[in-house]
Amino acid sequence: MGLQRINSPHELDSFRQHAVEARKHFRARVLICTTGCRSKGALAIRDAFQEKLAAAGLDQEIAVVGAGCHGQCSLAPAIVIEPWGYLYGGVKPTDVDEIIETTLRGGQPVERLCQKADGELTPTVDEAPFYRKQRRQVLANCGRIDPTLIEDAIACGTYAGIAKALSGMQPGHVIDEVREAGIRGRGGAGFPAGIKWDFCRKAEGSPKYLICNADEGDPGAFMDRALLEGVPHQVLEGMLIAAYAIGASHGFIYVRAEYPIAVDHITMAIDQARTCGLLGQNILGSGFDFDIEVRMGAGAFVCGEETALIASLEGHRGTPRPRPPFPANQGYMGKPTVINNVETLSNLPSIMIHGREWYKGIGTSGNSGTKIFALAGKVNNTGLVEVPIGATLREIVFDIGGGIPNNKEFKAAQTGGPSGGCIPAQFLDLPIDYDSLKTIGAIMGSGGLIVMDSETCMVDLARFFLNFTQSESCGKCVPCRVGTRHMLTILERICEGKGQESDIDELLRLGQDIKTTSLCGLGQTAPNPVLTTIRYFRAEYEAHILEKSCPACVCPGMFVYVIDAKPCTGCHRCVKSCPSGAITGKPKETHFIDEIRCVHCGSCYGVCPSKAIAKKAYAGA
């Protein structure tokens, strides 16, 4: 159906009905993740479906949709087939013929492409363990619509929330609804969105601005990217609601240039919304004017901090400034400005449609709604997980994530990205919310969640994250610029087996001083990985310092590789792979590793087919 200007909520309803009827023309839909799964060959799978369905004369009754992320990235490339809801993983172009014959013609699942749980086939999304305990509210349409078609978004209810606000609510009533719903900012700090809006609405100065913070810099986090790629019109609707509430007429989406698909999809969505009169002047005939432009950031982690982001938008170097004044009073170009992240804005349409009481019924007291986590690391089912706030780490890692690969022991989880904290196994049953995490030294952050098993060295992990935050420091304030460098130097020394007994106390002192005196959130949270790993894994630090041993067998020079005679078959692969000639032994006889000549490269460990080579910490660990 062609795009046309929509001049009223009534016309929006009519457009939606036509879009729904258009979808009914197809008896089945093949929903292929063509965003995150693109690197795994998803576009080739899409092309194969289109070609073969056309050849079979089925292209007019079966729709092939290039959709957003389905969530379970460990299945990539993944597809869902409606109306059955079959979920297939690891699909290849060569599987297309079988899927057409078995599923699209016969209505049955292709079992070899489905998942199993406890030996039982779980062919549908609803049955798959990854989805059972989720509450996919913000992600409800992600992976289920074509993100490049506004018709698909409107057919699923997008823009109904802003239509309701514009047709029957004053801006102050919208702020009240959001404040009473209890939604807190999903970007990391967890500040109540409604309160921030109220500050901006009442602030003197005009014009007012709205900024969508899509500068998602945490390693391994891709919640915002998935929303921009998969449901861009949902993000735009959230911005419209926020802009109407605070009285803004112009908005920005500040997105990382490293997100080309997200940039393409959100730019396309903005153009479509303008064509339909959902952006620009006199939106839905209400007299409300609002437009949006996309600005791309260069990837500086510090620009996720709101004052640094504003500086970048203004054309300056992205460095933070002291607060107050807060952006709600003096933000972009010195005018009142609200900054909300992508996930926060994507929650707003459902609040407008269902109301404050419904939203407050999800989550915990003072922590309403759901939270999206990017589940990564040593866990079987990686991907995007959306659960009610207050779900436990055990539910996320074991029930949804499927536990640790190879049945290894869960050791810890890092929440909140590189500035977050490590949660040890003793807190697996702690309900995760903004307040509970603070009590154990961690933070919710934007939603990165990295799982670690028994082979993770917590000292090396702290070094890795501190190296990231130290290199991303803007250098404006001394505590962050100099303090994190000093902490990193100590950690590097410990990981090299050169630690001193006073190092742990020095790290604690520096960490607390940096948290207290740094200018912005980057410096104030940078020591968290170090402080929490010392708090819960102090014995590992002591082993590195006192015994020159790495219990997890990660830090070079602090463990050895050994060959077990029983499983060793003398295949000679380790000898061929060793760059230093440290392994000796005749073919078909037990081999040996010369500890002095070994350079700890791990090549032998990786190529041994019989798993005869093991890591062993130095005595005393």
Side-chain angles (χ1 to χ4, degrees):
M1 59 186 292
L3 299 186
Q4 60 192 45
R5 184 173 177 87
I6 302 171
N7 296 302
S8 68
H10 175 73
E11 290 187 11
L12 179 66
D13 287 338
S14 178
F15 188 100
R16 179 174 297 107
Q17 290 170 13
H18 286 297
V20 170
E21 289 301 316
R23 289 180 62 163
K24 290 180 180 178
H25 176 75
F26 299 99
R27 67 173 178 85
R29 299 190 345 138
V30 181
L31 302 165
I32 307 168
C33 170
T34 53
T35 53
C37 291
R38 189 173 296 191
S39 63
K40 292 283 190 177
L43 295 182
I45 297 168
R46 180 199 61 188
D47 294 345
F49 267 109
Q50 291 174 337
E51 177 185 342
K52 292 178 182 295
L53 287 172
L58 297 173
D59 54 322
Q60 297 302 308
E61 57 182 287
I62 298 171
V64 179
V65 179
C69 178
H70 293 305
Q72 191 170 353
C73 300
S74 53
L75 293 181
I79 70 173
V80 171
I81 301 184
E82 295 178 340
W84 304 278
Y86 294 142
L87 172 66
Y88 297 153
V91 181
K92 299 180 179 62
T94 52
D95 298 321
V96 171
D97 285 327
E98 184 178 359
I99 294 172
I100 292 174
E101 190 63 31
T102 303
T103 302
L104 297 176
R105 289 186 185 275
Q108 298 301 311
V110 178
E111 294 189 5
R112 65 182 180 82
L113 298 176
C114 297
Q115 296 184 83
K116 289 186 178 181
D118 299 324
E120 297 292 327
L121 192 70
T122 57
T124 69
V125 172
D126 292 338
E127 295 171 302
F130 184 80
Y131 298 94
R132 286 178 193 165
K133 284 200 172 183
Q134 293 194 49
R135 179 160 182 163
R136 295 176 72 82
Q137 178 176 298
V138 177
L139 293 173
N141 291 326
C142 196
R144 297 304 179 93
I145 64 172
D146 186 336
T148 67
L149 297 178
I150 192 173
E151 304 97 307
D152 234 12
I154 291 177
C156 292
T158 306
Y159 294 112
I162 184 60
K164 179 180 178 181
L166 292 177
S167 61
M169 301 175 71
Q170 294 297 315
H173 294 155
V174 175
I175 292 176
D176 290 341
E177 194 73 6
V178 171
R179 181 175 56 237
E180 293 303 316
I183 180 172
R184 298 170 68 163
R186 299 297 195 255
F191 190 81
I195 294 176
K196 181 189 288 189
W197 291 9
D198 199 34
F199 287 154
C200 185
R201 179 80 188 180
K202 294 175 179 176
E204 296 182 359
S206 182
K208 291 178 168 65
Y209 293 98
L210 173 70
I211 299 172
C212 171
N213 184 352
D215 190 61
E216 188 173 46
D218 291 359
F222 58 104
M223 300 77 62
D224 293 348
R225 190 196 81 197
L227 290 168
L228 289 170
E229 291 175 345
V231 283
H233 287 282
Q234 184 175 324
V235 180
L236 297 186
E237 183 183 10
M239 293 187 70
L240 282 163
I241 293 167
Y244 176 66
I246 67 173
S249 59
H250 195 84
F252 299 95
I253 297 176
Y254 187 90
V255 59
R256 303 178 74 80
E258 296 96 327
Y259 286 177
I261 302 173
V263 172
D264 287 346
H265 285 189
I266 198 66
T267 302
M268 193 181 305
I270 288 172
D271 291 341
Q272 292 172 347
R274 284 200 192 110
T275 301
C276 291
L278 294 167
L279 282 177
Q281 295 183 335
N282 195 25
I283 296 170
L284 294 177
S286 66
F288 169 54
D289 302 336
F290 182 68
D291 211 341
I292 298 170
E293 62 178 291
V294 175
R295 296 278 188 89
M296 288 185 283
F301 181 65
V302 73
C303 284
E305 196 277 336
E306 57 183 16
T307 61
L309 186 156
I310 289 172
S312 178
L313 269 180
E314 292 175 337
H316 306 299
R317 183 173 176 233
T319 58
R321 62 164 172 79
R323 298 175 300 172
F326 292 94
N329 292 302
Q330 293 182 33
Y332 180 71
M333 297 299 178
K335 302 300 182 181
T337 303
V338 160
I339 303 178
N340 287 135
N341 95 315
V342 174
E343 187 182 346
T344 307
L345 293 164
S346 298
N347 271 272
L348 302 179
S350 62
I351 295 176
M352 289 296 101
I353 293 298
H354 301 293
R356 66 179 76 174
E357 294 303 323
W358 171 84
Y359 195 81
K360 285 169 64 176
I362 306 167
T364 62
S365 177
N367 293 270
S368 302
T370 61
K371 182 73 189 80
I372 303 174
F373 292 96
L375 186 61
K378 302 297 183 67
V379 63
N380 285 309
N381 301 331
T382 57
L384 290 182
V385 173
E386 184 178 1
V387 293
I389 296 180
T392 66
L393 192 60
R394 186 184 302 277
E395 290 173 328
I396 295 172
V397 174
F398 290 92
D399 296 343
I400 297 172
I404 315 300
N406 302 314
N407 293 317
K408 291 183 180 178
E409 182 182 352
F410 171 88
K411 189 170 188 177
Q414 171 87 359
T415 63
S419 298
C422 288
I423 306 174
Q426 68 195 77
F427 296 116
L428 271 171
D429 295 308
L430 177 75
I432 298 177
D433 61 41
Y434 290 94
D435 304 313
S436 65
L437 290 179
K438 286 182 180 179
T439 65
I440 60 173
I443 61 172
M444 180 83 77
S446 60
L449 202 161
I450 302 174
V451 180
M452 291 155 276
D453 64 12
S454 55
E455 293 187 353
T456 303
C457 172
M458 304 311 288
V459 185
D460 180 66
L461 182 85
R463 179 203 57 78
F464 171 81
F465 282 123
L466 192 65
N467 181 65
F468 177 86
T469 51
Q470 198 281 324
S471 65
E472 291 291 337
S473 172
C474 73
K476 187 172 184 177
C477 71
V478 172
C480 183
R481 182 180 73 244
V482 178
T484 57
R485 178 67 257 180
H486 191 185
M487 289 185 74
L488 180 59
T489 299
I490 294 173
L491 287 170
E492 289 173 339
R493 188 170 68 235
I494 293 173
C495 289
E496 292 170 359
K498 301 174 184 177
Q500 303 169 6
E501 290 190 39
S502 59
D503 282 346
I504 296 177
D505 290 337
E506 181 69 359
L507 286 171
L508 292 172
R509 183 189 67 79
L510 282 168
Q512 292 298 335
D513 288 347
I514 294 167
K515 286 176 67 70
T516 304
T517 58
S518 288
L519 175 60
C520 80
L522 189 153
Q524 292 162 9
T525 57
N528 282 348
V530 182
L531 298 179
T532 52
T533 51
I534 291 176
R535 181 176 179 179
Y536 299 116
F537 300 96
R538 190 182 183 108
E540 286 198 31
Y541 281 83
E542 293 172 343
H544 281 70
I545 294 169
L546 301 177
E547 301 163 2
K548 310 305 177 187
S549 172
C550 177
C553 298
V554 171
C555 299
M558 305 179 78
F559 69 94
V560 294
Y561 287 100
V562 295
I563 297 178
D564 189 332
K566 284 188 177 180
C568 179
T569 61
C571 68
H572 224 52
R573 292 186 187 178
C574 57
V575 174
K576 296 177 181 178
S577 71
C578 181
S580 62
I583 305 178
T584 57
K586 296 179 180 179
K588 299 184 179 181
E589 293 183 5
T590 301
H591 288 20
F592 301 92
I593 298 177
D594 184 341
E595 183 181 332
I596 296 176
R597 299 182 68 178
C598 177
V599 295
H600 296 86
C601 67
S603 61
C604 61
Y605 185 77
V607 302
C608 180
S610 59
K611 305 300 179 185
I613 299 177
K615 298 177 182 179
K616 183 178 180 182
Y618 283 127

